[in-house]
Amino acid sequence: MSGKPSDAELRARLTPEQYHVTQEQGTERAFTGQHYRNEQSGKYLCVVCGEQLFSSAAKYDSGSGWPSFWEPVAAQKVEARADRAHGMIRTEVRCANCGAHLGHVFDDGPKPTGQRFCINSASLDFKPEPTK
Ligand SMILES: [Zn+2]
């Protein structure tokens, strides 16, 4: 948890929704997130600490209403842990650097990984970059 800013700083810097999602394990409403329909090339960074977590190269439209990726930029960038909230057993995904809640990962994703990282837009910052 080295990269985690103080709670006061986060409350000042993040929008109420970003704070709720990343610090209180919230979930934004489906189809409302700013990155859901983003098809630009670029990097997706943790909104809390700025680590790059995902890339547009692994983003796809799962139809779920949340940005979906079949893999993070590196496995060690995210931390998965069991989440038993709401009467379901799901796998929660957090930023490995600062512990921010990102979303959940499911086993119904596309090839090559078969995984679906279902991530809240509110947990991510997008940095466009030219395609090479
Ligand atoms: Zn982070």
Side-chain angles (χ1 to χ4, degrees):
M1 307 280 272
S2 58
K4 186 173 163 95
S6 74
D7 189 63
E9 186 194 328
L10 289 179
R11 283 188 186 275
R13 180 159 59 84
L14 302 179
T15 68
E17 182 173 47
Q18 288 171 337
Y19 184 90
H20 175 62
V21 170
T22 61
Q23 307 303 306
E24 301 171 338
Q25 294 186 51
T27 300
E28 71 198 12
R29 282 193 300 130
F31 302 102
T32 64
Q34 60 171 328
H35 303 310
Y36 175 56
R37 289 190 177 80
N38 184 8
E39 290 174 4
Q40 286 179 275
S41 295
K43 301 171 175 178
Y44 289 89
L45 315 179
C46 173
V47 77
V48 173
C49 72
E51 275 287 302
Q52 188 190 351
L53 302 176
F54 296 97
S55 160
S56 59
K59 186 176 189 290
Y60 73 105
D61 183 359
S62 66
S64 68
W66 291 280
S68 301
F69 303 86
W70 64 78
E71 64 183 359
V73 289
Q76 69 269 21
K77 294 278 189 179
V78 299
E79 228 169 54
R81 55 189 224 178
D83 171 12
R84 293 187 171 76
H86 310 295
M88 294 176 275
I89 299 178
R90 297 180 295 176
T91 305
E92 182 198 357
V93 181
R94 288 178 176 253
C95 171
N97 184 50
C98 74
H101 173 77
L102 305 172
H104 291 87
V105 60
F106 301 92
D107 290 330
D108 57 6
K111 289 176 179 177
T113 62
Q115 293 193 303
R116 171 168 61 97
F117 287 82
C118 185
I119 305 299
N120 291 283
S121 293
S123 299
L124 299 173
D125 248 346
F126 179 69
K127 205 168 146 194
E129 63 181 9
T131 34
K132 295 183 188 87

